[in-house]
Amino acid sequence: MPPTPEPPPASDPTAPMDFSLFYFASDDGDDDAGLKGDRYRLLLDGARWADTHGFTAVWTPERHFHSFGGLYPNPAVTGAAVAAVTERVAIRAGSVVAPLHHPLRLAEDWSVVDNLSGGRAGISFASGWHAADFALAPEAYGNRRALALDHAEEVRRLWRGEELTVRDGVGAERRVRIHPRPVQPELPTWITSAGGVETFRRAGAMGAGVLTHLLGQSLDDLARKIAAYRTAAGPDGGHVVVMVHAFLGEDGDTVRELVREPLCAYLRDSLGLLLGSRFEGRRGIDPARLRPDDVDFLVRRSFDRYYDDGALLGTPAEARRVVERLRGIGVDEIACLIDFGLPAETVLAGLDLLGDLRTGGPDRD
């Protein structure tokens, strides 16, 4: 087996790391918790903060039929809301599950977001992985990976003003283009990968960025995949975004205990969905067959790994070490997932420390 090439640095190693906010809140349906009518406060107030503090983007996902990520069934809708309360920050889908939708629908929806925002829209296209989501398009499930890339290319062509051949309601062939026309001549595009190296390569080859995370992959694994991506994209091309959980405080022990319960609950909510799914070549596991002690062990182990080695959790000094490790393997942007269960007031109060981390400002350790 040939040796693994050394991963090249980010596309511009002299540029500062970009920071953005990423949302993926669970929806436990508990209206008695004071959330009714206020579920999107953290999204909108956080977006306003990002807009005035030099953050690059606000990302919202597409999730269906499950509490994990359940506040976000349509990123075009949440993106439009963000557009209405911001002026500068980019507005991105992280991600659109492309096989669930016709490319014309995606291009039209996001062209509206682009117009509302004055040209700030961007999309990361995902293939989807949970079978229940495909209740919206069951015929697409088996070929979802190829469809995601095909739809991404079709949306990009429509965005440029090209026509698409379709059949109308009476079976007649028509050539159509989208309205309204977007503000940006080219759609900023990423491909979402749960860790499959071939997805990284395909994203690079098609000139798209890549959006990934550290669920189920180590930093060393990610470094090798970024190296493959850069090879496909060319030495000066590409854009790598990594989503990480984020919350900083003055004292590491205090932060660890503060985030332990909400993050463990968040991980527990995601565990059944992740274990019961088949994606990136892995077979699903029936969560109901696991003993409660086994689930507790998996959640505790996941918490320790994320806190110690895969997130911006703890003090600013601890987070800076993570940032430098990500920079060193070629990451261009860190997408800070902030809505994993802490009260909105607590998260918003802690955003200034993330802002200092972005600028290299005060180290309060």
Side-chain angles (χ1 to χ4, degrees):
M1 179 180 295
T4 301
E6 287 295 319
S11 52
D12 182 359
T14 65
M17 177 75 77
D18 286 339
F19 281 73
S20 55
L21 296 185
F22 197 102
Y23 291 84
F24 210 104
S26 286
D27 178 25
D28 60 10
D30 186 4
D31 289 343
D32 294 332
L35 292 174
K36 189 173 184 179
D38 203 21
R39 284 184 168 89
Y40 299 97
R41 179 195 168 195
L42 181 54
L43 169 66
L44 298 179
D45 285 356
R48 292 183 183 97
W49 182 91
D51 197 52
T52 57
H53 286 78
F55 272 47
T56 298
V58 173
W59 300 81
T60 56
E62 177 180 355
R63 285 290 303 119
H64 300 286
F65 318 132
H66 196 280
S67 61
F68 183 58
L71 288 185
Y72 297 100
N74 188 334
V77 173
T78 49
V82 171
V85 300
T86 58
E87 296 180 353
R88 185 201 64 82
V89 72
I91 301 164
R92 299 177 185 163
S95 309
V96 160
V97 184
L100 300 183
H101 310 285
H102 196 289
L104 283 165
R105 177 82 274 174
L106 290 176
E108 285 185 337
D109 285 351
W110 280 92
S111 182
V112 171
V113 176
D114 204 48
N115 277 271
L116 288 171
S117 65
R120 293 183 279 139
I123 303 177
S124 189
F125 293 87
S127 61
W129 45 274
H130 198 261
D133 294 355
F134 284 79
L136 297 173
E139 71 285 351
Y141 184 70
N143 196 33
R144 62 194 182 279
R145 291 185 180 88
L147 282 173
L149 298 178
D150 291 345
H151 283 18
E153 291 287 21
E154 288 183 343
V155 171
R156 293 207 292 184
R157 288 195 295 269
L158 288 163
W159 196 273
R160 298 181 191 118
E162 297 180 26
E163 293 182 332
L164 186 65
T165 301
V166 297
R167 291 197 177 276
D168 66 15
V170 296
E173 190 174 275
R174 293 179 179 270
R175 298 280 291 173
V176 297
R177 59 167 52 97
I178 64 167
H179 296 280
R181 291 295 305 275
V183 175
Q184 298 174 99
E186 291 283 341
L187 172 66
T189 301
W190 291 259
I191 302 298
T192 301
S193 174
V197 67
E198 284 306 314
T199 305
F200 277 72
R201 290 195 180 100
R202 290 169 187 159
M206 66 187 289
V210 66
L211 170 65
T212 190
H213 52 65
L214 293 172
L215 290 166
Q217 60 180 339
S218 68
L219 287 174
D220 288 341
D221 291 336
L222 180 57
R224 289 188 288 270
K225 294 163 190 173
I226 293 175
Y229 169 75
R230 298 288 183 197
T231 299
D236 298 321
H239 187 262
V240 177
V241 184
V242 175
M243 181 277 291
V244 299
H245 296 74
F247 181 78
L248 302 181
E250 306 284 0
D251 178 78
D253 291 338
T254 300
V255 172
R256 192 179 194 106
E257 292 313 305
L258 182 65
V259 304
R260 184 186 299 278
E261 182 176 348
L263 184 53
C264 283
Y266 184 88
L267 293 170
R268 187 181 299 275
D269 196 20
S270 69
L271 193 62
L273 193 66
L274 294 169
L275 290 177
S277 304
R278 299 184 180 209
F279 62 102
E280 299 292 352
R282 282 168 267 178
R283 293 182 62 84
I285 299 171
D286 181 1
R289 300 183 65 179
L290 294 175
R291 297 177 303 172
D293 287 349
D294 293 331
V295 173
D296 290 342
F297 171 76
L298 288 172
V299 169
R300 289 196 305 272
R301 188 175 69 174
S302 295
F303 173 82
D304 289 338
R305 188 179 80 83
Y306 290 142
Y307 192 95
D308 294 333
D309 199 37
L312 300 182
L313 298 171
T315 66
E318 291 167 335
R320 284 196 179 95
R321 290 192 284 270
V322 175
V323 171
E324 290 310 309
R325 291 183 69 188
L326 291 170
R327 190 196 309 276
I329 64 172
V331 172
D332 299 290
E333 179 180 329
I334 297 175
C336 302
L337 192 156
I338 60 172
D339 60 340
F340 55 85
L342 290 169
E345 293 83 358
T346 302
V347 176
L348 293 168
L351 287 178
D352 284 343
L353 288 179
L354 278 179
D356 289 342
L357 184 66
R358 184 191 72 84
T359 61
D363 185 339
R364 298 184 172 100
D365 278 13

